[in-house]
Amino acid sequence: MKTLILIAIGSALVNNVVLSQFLGLCPFLGVSKKVKTASGMGTAVIFVITIASLVAAVIYRFILTPLDLQYLRTIVFILVIAALVQFVEMFLKKFIKSLYESLGVYLPLITTNCAVLGVALTNVQKSYGILESVVNGFATAVGFAVAIIILAGLREKMEYNDIPKPFQGMPIVMITAGLMAIAFCGFAGLF
């Protein structure tokens, strides 16, 4: 149990996928204009990464390893992720149309979100079992959701600030994300 808690805290805060590893920056910067949209993206990413971690771990352990096909892991993981994202996209289109429309092009980009693939490959690289993989995936996704929601909240507040012209738009967002990354470095002292 202690190991799982350490994996969860380490993945969510200390090694935050966006702010420490710089994976998944496209949706992080693109969908963080409004908190509502960022929350929706965070929820979708939590679902996809958690389920992808589970399915990838099961496939790797029970199919690829016994058949000595570990070299196919990247291709197999990409296919698993693409299928899960298609499922999420169909679900949102049918049941939460407003969120589906607000996410726009960024929803299919979860498929190419390197954070999702990065978690699956990290699980294999660290030799995590199935439960450890799921915990790592869930915690990593929660860390992504926390980071994108914080950035969205800051961007909503900055909308009404007097920002010098050269820094308006993406430059101030990049500066803010950089300051968030520095702040998250403070969590490194936890371990």
Side-chain angles (χ1 to χ4, degrees):
M1 188 63 165
K2 181 181 176 183
T3 305
L4 296 177
I5 292 170
L6 289 175
I7 289 172
I9 293 171
S11 297
L13 298 176
V14 178
N15 297 317
N16 186 285
V17 72
V18 177
L19 301 173
S20 295
Q21 299 175 16
F22 306 112
L23 298 174
L25 289 175
C26 181
F28 177 70
L29 296 173
V31 184
S32 61
K33 292 180 182 173
K34 300 287 180 201
V35 171
K36 183 178 179 182
T37 309
S39 300
M41 176 59 85
T43 304
V45 168
I46 288 171
F47 176 79
V48 169
I49 289 181
T50 304
I51 301 300
S53 295
L54 172 67
V55 174
V58 169
I59 289 173
Y60 186 79
R61 183 171 184 156
F62 295 113
I63 297 173
L64 297 180
T65 301
L67 297 175
D68 200 29
L69 298 172
Q70 295 96 332
Y71 61 91
L72 292 175
R73 69 178 176 235
T74 304
I75 294 169
V76 171
F77 293 170
I78 289 171
L79 292 173
V80 167
I81 292 164
L84 287 170
V85 170
Q86 284 300 106
F87 173 74
V88 169
E89 189 172 359
M90 290 185 304
F91 177 83
L92 290 178
K93 189 174 185 179
K94 181 152 179 97
F95 296 109
I96 311 173
K97 188 107 171 134
S98 61
L99 179 59
Y100 172 78
E101 291 171 356
S102 66
L103 290 175
V105 71
Y106 294 101
L107 185 58
L109 283 179
I110 295 175
T111 303
T112 59
N113 185 344
C114 53
V116 183
L117 180 60
V119 170
L121 294 174
T122 298
N123 291 338
V124 170
Q125 184 182 28
K126 292 187 176 183
S127 301
Y128 286 159
I130 294 172
L131 181 60
E132 294 165 322
S133 295
V134 171
V135 169
N136 183 50
F138 178 76
T140 299
V142 167
F144 176 87
V146 166
I148 196 171
I149 291 168
I150 290 172
L151 183 62
L154 292 171
R155 285 181 77 174
E156 283 184 1
K157 295 290 184 189
M158 286 188 302
E159 204 173 294
Y160 303 106
N161 291 345
D162 186 26
I163 299 171
K165 191 164 180 91
F167 292 105
Q168 290 178 359
M170 196 50 68
I172 195 68
V173 173
M174 296 298 285
I175 291 169
T176 304
L179 292 172
M180 285 176 59
I182 292 170
F184 268 68
C185 284
F187 290 120
L190 290 175
F191 295 101

